[in-house]
Amino acid sequence: MNITIVGVGYVGLVSGACFAEFGHNVICVDIDEHKINRLKDGIMPIYEPGLDHIVGQHSLSGRLTFTTDLARSVKGRDAVFIAVGTPPRPQDGHADLSFVYAAAKSIAESMDQFTVVVTKSTVPVGANREVARILGQYAPAGQQWAVASNPEFLREGAAISDFMEPDRVVIGCDNAQGIAIMERIYAPLAARNTPIMTTDIETAELIKYAANAFLAVKVSFINEVSDLCERVGGRVEEIAKGIGLDRRIGGSFLRTGPGWGGSCFPKDTRAMLMTAQDAGVPLSIVAAAVGANEQRKRDMADRIVEACGGSVNGKVIGVLGLTFKGQTDDMRESPSLDILKGLIAAGARVRAFDPSNPHEAAHLLPDVELVKTPEEAADGADALVVLTEWMVFKSYDLGELARVMRQRIMIDLRNLFDEATARESGFTTYHCLGQRSAVPKLAQVS
Ligand code: UDX
């Protein structure tokens, strides 16, 4: 099939590369000329394991091309995917759909055969109907088209395998010719028995929001159980395992941590709450998870203060990990932002190391000293805080880090290590989440 992807961000680039891997001819188009030129030179705009390999391979095979010329890229295509950003509008939290609608208009003006216009960007209920209205308004008279909602469920750091081996593909479309094209696009997955669900448009739009909100609720739930364990006993990891083995619950997304972040959960839960509010329907469970997550980040800063003896004023806090989760360079809505700002407001000096060297960290955390090695983060520190579950941290020589610290306190907010390992490495105190030895709540940072 001939496919065009509009918007070469995270979702667009991964989708385009994987469609080329399926055997389709893919054009990726973006208005950012610098990004397109770099991609033509094989330089990835994002960090995603395996992506450079697939992009390189299919740039060579000729099945994957990059351009800034949207009008030409839309001609002769079976499907055009819209994968532009839908950031929250600062004034009201609603998803900003102006990029989606602008793309729809440009596509409409250049279509020259039956084309399915597919929204991959996460959009609230009703957005695809608006895309259809725009196509109707701007497409040449007599031009045939269909609209489809095809949400993505990619996790950063695992996006290629999530795309190539998804749990399901959701296609929201009510046009038979459009559905047939979408089914041909995903035929390689259907051949491997991936469930391909065809629904109406609104259902597909809501599946995406409901999935992310449910997962966010799940993480917030285990974080609260984790707090409970710290007061009444019990170990959160074993509880997560014990409940996760019940197939009705499932074991994933039950890792306690400093709160959820990233480009999707915070944005999508907010957007879903706005939709519900506009519709006059209370989504009290999602609202509670959002509130609990905000509180969680404040609690984590308090916890670090308590582990440091009730004050961090004038103390040096070494930090391992800044990104919202491991194996990504993404800082968007990372819990580290709120937690570290809280520590700085309480008088701490913060020195942080992240293996991905996230380029946004310097302007998002201007008061944090960013260092290039874990040893530099630990050097002279009064406490070492683990904020992100980078796998590479497990290979560090903790003894080396403890040796250069002023006070050998570790606060592990991802439960990456354990008490015995920390103590053997020379740490005098090890704090983690969800078991009784963890520091009880006391002081407030702010
Ligand atoms: C998420 C969804 O998983 C994906 O389907 C959707 O398309 C985009 O949003 P992503 O943002 O990459 O993907 O992150 P994810 O791996 O889902 O983690 C989200 C947040 O929850 C992270 O901050 C992570 O650290 C946290 N988390 C996740 C936990 O604290 N515990 C868990 O058990 C799982």
Side-chain angles (χ1 to χ4, degrees):
M1 305 297 279
N2 290 319
I3 296 173
T4 291
I5 312 274
V6 182
V8 188
Y10 193 83
V11 172
L13 184 55
V14 170
S15 306
C18 291
F19 282 143
E21 179 81 1
F22 286 178
H24 303 307
N25 295 309
V26 181
I27 302 174
C28 286
V29 46
D30 200 289
I31 47 169
D32 184 339
E33 201 169 340
H34 178 66
K35 191 191 267 184
I36 292 296
N37 285 338
R38 283 167 67 89
L39 277 162
K40 284 180 180 167
D41 290 338
I43 303 167
M44 297 303 110
I46 50 163
Y47 173 88
E48 181 62 37
L51 183 63
D52 50 352
H53 175 73
I54 308 193
V55 170
Q57 196 182 342
H58 294 298
S59 297
L60 279 179
S61 74
R63 287 215 296 270
L64 183 63
T65 53
F66 297 97
T67 179
T68 54
D69 188 344
L70 186 123
R72 273 177 56 190
S73 312
V74 167
K75 300 203 184 302
R77 311 311 281 175
D78 299 300
V80 178
F81 285 75
I82 300 176
V84 296
T86 55
R89 286 195 307 225
Q91 66 272 30
D92 58 8
H94 272 292
D96 180 354
L97 299 175
S98 55
F99 303 110
V100 173
Y101 296 150
K105 179 170 180 278
S106 305
I107 293 163
E109 287 165 347
S110 300
M111 281 190 302
D112 64 350
Q113 66 166 43
F114 184 92
T115 303
V116 197
V117 178
V118 191
T119 309
K120 262 243 171 268
S121 307
T122 301
V123 292
V125 184
N128 278 285
R129 298 275 167 211
E130 178 62 10
V131 168
R133 194 197 60 73
I134 293 169
L135 295 177
Q137 184 177 349
Y138 293 100
Q143 180 66 51
Q144 301 278 300
W145 44 264
V147 163
S149 163
N150 176 216
E152 54 83 20
F153 302 99
L154 310 177
R155 285 164 306 162
E156 294 188 16
I160 305 290
S161 57
D162 281 353
F163 199 99
M164 302 303 285
E165 297 153 37
D167 291 336
R168 79 304 205 184
V169 171
V170 175
I171 299 168
C173 185
D174 42 25
N175 174 295
Q177 200 175 346
I179 294 170
I181 290 175
M182 293 301 288
E183 285 178 345
R184 280 187 65 191
I185 289 173
Y186 284 106
L189 294 183
R192 283 191 245 148
N193 296 324
T194 301
I196 313 280
M197 253 185 96
T198 307
T199 69
D200 64 50
I201 289 174
E202 286 73 15
T203 301
E205 289 171 336
L206 271 177
I207 285 173
K208 170 67 191 216
Y209 280 110
N212 274 352
F214 190 84
L215 292 171
V217 166
K218 211 173 168 190
V219 176
S220 283
F221 175 81
I222 203 68
N223 283 340
E224 290 198 332
V225 173
S226 174
D227 282 347
L228 187 62
C229 289
E230 289 168 20
R231 291 299 177 100
V232 302
R235 303 173 79 90
V236 71
E237 260 109 20
E238 286 167 43
I239 293 167
K241 186 173 176 196
I243 63 174
L245 285 170
D246 183 329
R247 273 173 295 178
R248 293 168 303 175
I249 297 173
S252 56
F253 278 73
L254 287 176
R255 274 189 340 270
T256 189
W260 39 266
S263 62
C264 291
F265 282 12
K267 170 170 79 72
D268 293 352
T269 45
R270 274 198 296 267
M272 194 178 187
L273 287 174
M274 295 305 295
T275 301
Q277 187 183 310
D278 290 351
V281 177
L283 285 189
S284 55
I285 294 171
V286 179
V290 170
N293 199 53
E294 289 307 311
Q295 184 59 40
R296 178 101 187 138
K297 293 183 276 185
R298 287 191 288 273
D299 288 350
M300 293 296 111
D302 293 345
R303 191 167 296 216
I304 295 165
V305 173
E306 287 147 19
C308 291
S311 169
V312 288
N313 196 12
K315 292 188 175 163
V316 176
I317 308 295
V319 173
L320 296 182
L322 289 171
T323 50
F324 79 96
K325 64 174 191 175
Q327 290 59 252
T328 174
D329 64 351
D330 200 336
M331 291 288 297
R332 281 178 284 179
E333 307 227 22
S334 174
S336 70
L337 299 174
D338 290 335
I339 296 170
L340 298 187
K341 281 178 191 159
L343 294 179
I344 285 164
R349 273 181 56 203
V350 178
R351 208 182 290 137
F353 165 72
D354 189 284
S356 69
N357 195 15
H359 62 277
E360 283 185 316
H363 87 263
L364 290 173
L365 290 167
D367 298 320
V368 169
E369 187 187 339
L370 302 170
V371 294
K372 297 264 181 289
T373 63
E375 290 76 17
E376 283 175 88
D379 195 14
D382 295 289
L384 189 64
V385 180
V386 180
L387 276 183
T388 308
E389 76 285 31
W390 276 94
M391 280 187 285
V392 67
F393 292 168
K394 293 288 274 183
S395 68
Y396 289 170
D397 182 343
L398 291 185
E400 283 293 301
L401 300 183
R403 204 175 49 78
V404 296
M405 292 175 68
R406 187 158 58 190
Q407 291 192 74
R408 293 168 182 172
I409 299 171
M410 185 191 287
I411 304 147
D412 181 358
L413 300 182
R414 293 285 184 171
N415 287 9
L416 209 56
F417 302 104
D418 57 73
E419 175 124 31
T421 311
R423 285 196 185 277
E424 276 161 28
S425 307
F427 282 91
T428 53
T429 323
Y430 173 76
H431 300 284
C432 63
L433 299 175
Q435 43 185 286
R436 218 183 205 157
S437 63
V439 181
K441 279 187 190 171
L442 285 171
Q444 295 289 315
V445 167
S446 46

